[in-house]
Amino acid sequence: MPRPLGELEDAVMTRVWKWNRPVTVREVLEDLQQERSIAYTTVMTVLDNLHQKGWVRREAEGRAYRYEAVSTRAAYAAALMNDAWSQSDNPAAALVAFFGMMSEEQRGALSDAVRIVQGPETAEAAPDTGSDTAGENPGAAQEGDGR
């Protein structure tokens, strides 16, 4: 089960997920430097650590590497939620509490996601929540990274 990413790891992975293509240390460095002072070697070390942890794969390009995400931010968030939920001694109560924290929009997205997972047979019988998150764009309910 994945541990939450550290603050700098998350900043690096956010760029890798957002760009959705193989990236170089230099590209990540230049983008991060718009927000903070950071060294090339620090970004290189973070990407190497993310590679060792299995978050990114890398391919040599000359004397450098290009790094690419192994999975999506949505899959990362889902794994964290699953891990937290599985640690509860009362999973039903944990879900009720979690649902109670959700906004109306989030509950609509949840309903859409349940319909997607259950398949088309169940979707026809389910009442419409008014949310169009998954209607024309099924990937919208699966991708929670704000893109």
Side-chain angles (χ1 to χ4, degrees):
M1 196 75 327
R3 286 187 320 210
L5 295 170
E7 187 260 331
L8 189 52
E9 290 174 327
D10 185 68
V12 169
M13 282 306 299
T14 293
R15 283 146 179 88
V16 175
W17 282 319
K18 182 176 102 181
W19 296 336
N20 197 27
R21 62 173 173 76
V23 300
T24 64
V25 171
R26 175 80 45 209
E27 290 172 308
V28 175
L29 171 72
E30 289 173 359
D31 200 59
L32 281 170
Q33 284 179 330
Q34 294 177 28
E35 299 172 2
R36 65 178 86 195
S37 176
I38 190 166
Y40 181 94
T41 54
T42 301
V43 177
M44 184 174 63
T45 299
V46 170
L47 279 164
D48 186 59
N49 290 343
L50 290 166
H51 176 256
Q52 296 299 321
K53 292 177 179 182
W55 287 107
V56 295
R57 64 177 143 270
R58 67 185 180 192
E59 189 172 314
E61 184 175 279
R63 293 180 9 197
Y65 288 107
R66 284 203 172 266
Y67 295 86
E68 186 173 18
V70 170
S71 65
T72 64
R73 180 180 282 283
Y76 166 67
L80 290 176
M81 287 187 286
N82 186 58
D83 186 42
W85 183 49
S86 68
Q87 292 180 32
S88 173
D89 61 348
N90 188 340
L95 284 175
V96 169
F98 181 61
F99 297 158
M101 294 177 196
M102 291 178 152
S103 68
E104 188 62 38
E105 182 181 336
Q106 289 170 322
R107 284 191 293 275
L110 174 64
S111 295
D112 292 341
V114 168
R115 274 198 295 288
I116 289 168
V117 170
Q118 290 178 338
E121 319 77 53
T122 328
E124 293 171 7
D128 186 12
T129 63
S131 171
D132 197 21
T133 316
E136 294 178 25
N137 184 5
Q142 298 172 357
E143 201 56 46
D145 62 0
R147 278 192 276 162

